[in-house]
């Protein structure tokens, strides 16, 4: 049985929080909102509860979970060492959508970290998440509340599609603010290594740290396996409809992008496929003359946070469009663009057409 509680995100009913905290304290699973996506919460120090998270998400045991904390005492409890440069990020960015990978303390079980000596820690910037952790009085593991390999949930309907009947409770506060998951950066390496691009851009991280950050290909959504980043071994964000991503080297001339997408779309149409185009607000009108195409808008290129907020929703909704293939525009990798592009590249399963400069 899954109980669903609707609460005000800014002024949550404390009785609901207490009830859900009790469920967590007794080893149950509670889906709760964060500023990024919905998380599937369990007591980080209850190994049986953590194991259940892996089972119901169908998540490989080698893929570590992020430990969510509400105060810095908990940070000291779950880590063995918080280096100086980590404090710069903590002071500027927490609470917020940034996960730091640090050396773990012995108190954190290997189940949580997938056997790695490091733990991912984040202090979420959502009143419900913080109050829930405080009330449960224990750090919570909270992977995105989806079946492994599917797009992360930004509304409770998405959570229900994947996990209804499998969790004890869901706290519903409506659509999450940012819509993509936290930036994950490993601070145990020199220089620090980006594990997952996210709302906190590499430009921002480099500015705060005053050093360059290593950005491996897998953190840009490209295929590459790295032992230190178990996530690079697994598939993510697969929408259930084939996705083709069309990219440019330089996004100053969008005509090249719309021309290539129109050409690819026509080829599919001629073969009898049903086709959707996923476009930006600025380029949408270029496709209006293509007959029989379904058009989906991701958001404006001038407001990438809008694109980020919509990306998982659009991927999840592709199934209901009843098309065989969706062709998606690429975005400039600057700032939030990298986080968006890494999601789209993974969702396309590397089905990428790169339009070369001529
Ligand atoms: O925004 C978020 O981070 C959301 C919300 C719910 O907080 N959570 C989330 O968790 O996205 P999850 O488990 O879906 O993604 C965490 C990613 C995984 O790809 C995992 O491999 C990586 O972070 N990760 C976690 N701990 C790690 C560690 N110790 N070393 C390397 N990668 C780690
Ligand atoms: Mg996830």
């Amino acid at each position: 049985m899954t109980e669903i509680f609707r609460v005000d995100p800014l002024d949550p009913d404390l009785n609901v929080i207490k009830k859900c905290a009790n469920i967590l304290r007794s080893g149950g699973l509670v889906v709760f909102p964060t500023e990024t996506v919905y998380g599937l919460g369990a007591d980080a120090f209850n190994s049986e509860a953590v194991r259940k998270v892996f089972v119901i998400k169908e998540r490989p045991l080698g893929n570590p979970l992020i430990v969510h904390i509400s105060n810095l005492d908990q940070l000291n409890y779950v880590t063995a060492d918080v280096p100086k440069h980590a404090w710069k990020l903590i002071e500027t960015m927490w609470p917020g959508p940034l996960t730091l990978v640090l050396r773990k303390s012995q108190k954190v079980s290997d189940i949580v970290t997938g056997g790695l000596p490091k733990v991912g820690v984040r202090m979420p910037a959502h009143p419900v998440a913080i109050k829930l952790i405080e009330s449960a009085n224990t750090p919570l593991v909270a992977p995105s509340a989806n079946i492994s390999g599917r797009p992360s949930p930004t509304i409770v309907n998405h959570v229900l599609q994947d996990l209804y009947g499998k969790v004890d409770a869901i706290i519903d506060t409506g659509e999450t603010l940012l819509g993509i998951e936290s930036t994950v950066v490993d601070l145990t390496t020199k220089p620090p290594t980006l594990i997952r691009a996210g709302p906190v851009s590499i430009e921002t991280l480099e500015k705060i740290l005053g050093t360059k950050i290593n950005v491996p290909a897998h953190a840009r959504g490209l295929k590459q396996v790295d032992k230190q980043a178990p996530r690079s071994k697994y598939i993510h964000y697969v929408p259930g409809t084939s996705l083709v991503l069309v990219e440019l080297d330089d996004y100053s001339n969008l005509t090249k992008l719309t021309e290539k997408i129109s050409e690819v779309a026509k080829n599919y149409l001629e073969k009898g496929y049903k086709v959707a185009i996923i476009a930006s607000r600025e380029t949408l009108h270029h496709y209006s003359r293509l007959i029989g195409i379904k058009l989906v808008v991701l958001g404006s290129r001038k407001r990438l946070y809008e694109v980020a907020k919509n990306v998982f929703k659009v991927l999840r909704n592709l199934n209901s469009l009843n098309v065989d293939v969706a062709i998606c525009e690429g975005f400039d990798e600057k700032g939030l663009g990298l986080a968006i592009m890494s999601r789209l590249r993974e969702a396309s399963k590397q089905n990428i057409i790169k339009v070369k400069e001529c």
Side-chain angles (χ1 to χ4, degrees):
M1 243 280 282
T2 300
E3 263 192 287
I4 303 171
F5 302 101
R6 290 204 72 159
V7 304
D8 180 338
L10 296 179
D11 184 22
D13 180 345
L14 294 181
N15 288 323
V16 170
I17 299 284
K18 217 185 256 168
K19 197 165 176 182
C20 290
N22 284 336
I23 295 174
L24 290 163
R25 291 291 307 176
S26 52
L29 306 184
V30 176
V31 172
F32 64 92
T34 77
E35 76 281 30
T36 57
V37 300
Y38 277 86
L40 167 55
D43 178 352
F45 291 100
N46 181 329
S47 295
E48 268 323 297
V50 175
R51 224 183 287 276
K52 264 197 284 179
V53 167
F54 281 96
V55 172
I56 73 155
K57 256 188 79 81
E58 300 169 29
R59 180 176 177 113
L61 281 169
N63 197 5
L65 304 174
I66 297 172
V67 173
H68 293 63
I69 58 170
S70 60
N71 63 57
L72 295 179
D73 288 341
Q74 291 173 336
L75 172 68
N76 289 323
Y77 194 75
V78 300
T79 57
D81 170 44
V82 183
K84 249 193 193 154
H85 60 307
W87 286 109
K88 289 191 194 171
L89 292 173
I90 291 166
E91 278 159 17
T92 337
M93 286 296 157
W94 277 8
L98 176 64
T99 297
L100 303 180
V101 173
L102 300 163
R103 281 183 45 222
K104 80 170 186 79
S105 77
Q106 285 182 346
K107 287 150 205 135
V108 177
S109 148
D110 277 344
I111 307 170
V112 170
T113 64
L116 285 176
K118 316 170 185 190
V119 61
V121 191
R122 125 169 163 86
M123 190 187 286
H126 194 295
V128 168
I130 291 289
K131 285 194 164 83
L132 186 65
I133 302 167
E134 270 170 6
S135 181
N137 198 23
T138 177
L140 302 177
V141 294
S144 49
N146 53 278
I147 297 289
S148 274
R150 302 253 297 136
S152 301
T154 56
I155 53 173
V156 161
N157 220 5
H158 299 164
V159 178
L160 297 177
Q161 286 169 4
D162 286 14
L163 301 179
Y164 185 69
K166 297 180 180 169
V167 295
D168 299 293
I170 300 175
I171 306 177
D172 182 357
T173 54
E175 190 169 2
T176 57
L177 183 70
L178 299 172
I180 50 168
E181 317 93 320
S182 63
T183 305
V184 181
V185 62
D186 186 343
L187 294 182
T188 69
T189 60
K190 257 191 189 146
T193 306
L194 188 72
I195 288 181
R196 180 174 70 190
V200 179
S201 67
I202 39 171
E203 292 89 336
T204 300
L205 292 175
E206 287 180 342
K207 204 163 136 197
I208 296 169
L209 290 172
T211 52
K212 278 268 160 212
I213 289 195
N214 171 32
V215 183
H218 64 77
R220 298 175 56 228
L222 298 167
K223 210 171 157 61
Q224 179 200 45
V225 173
D226 173 356
K227 273 197 204 133
Q228 293 306 310
R231 85 179 305 278
S232 65
K233 284 193 269 182
Y234 308 113
I235 55 159
H236 300 97
Y237 317 128
V238 177
T241 299
S242 285
L243 187 75
V244 181
L245 179 64
V246 181
E247 297 191 18
L248 296 182
D249 284 329
D250 171 3
Y251 285 86
S252 55
N253 180 0
L254 292 173
T255 312
K256 276 192 194 157
L257 186 67
T258 55
E259 278 174 358
K260 186 67 189 180
I261 288 186
S262 302
E263 178 195 322
V264 175
K266 277 183 206 154
N267 281 340
Y268 276 114
L269 284 173
E270 275 163 21
K271 289 186 189 138
Y273 286 86
K274 286 183 261 175
V275 182
I277 292 179
I278 306 174
S280 59
R281 206 167 291 291
E282 290 78 9
T283 45
L284 194 66
H285 64 280
H286 286 277
Y287 310 112
S288 56
R289 267 181 287 164
L290 292 172
I291 313 260
I293 297 250
K294 295 203 170 145
L295 278 177
V296 181
V297 192
L298 258 180
S300 166
R301 285 175 187 276
K302 294 184 200 122
R303 293 185 294 277
L304 285 184
Y305 61 86
E306 194 179 286
V307 177
K309 189 168 179 149
N310 287 332
V311 71
F312 289 144
K313 203 167 30 183
V314 164
L315 290 175
R316 277 211 179 234
N317 286 345
L318 280 182
N319 269 347
S320 57
L321 284 184
N322 190 26
V323 295
D324 303 304
V325 62
I327 309 160
C328 184
E329 291 184 352
F331 291 79
D332 198 331
E333 275 188 31
K334 274 193 225 110
L336 195 50
L338 180 65
I340 294 164
M341 285 306 282
S342 70
R343 279 18 175 225
L344 291 175
R345 285 177 182 142
E346 290 200 56
S348 79
K349 291 190 176 163
Q350 312 296 319
N351 201 348
I352 299 167
I353 297 172
K354 190 123 195 192
V355 183
K356 293 266 172 268
E357 289 293 309
C358 35

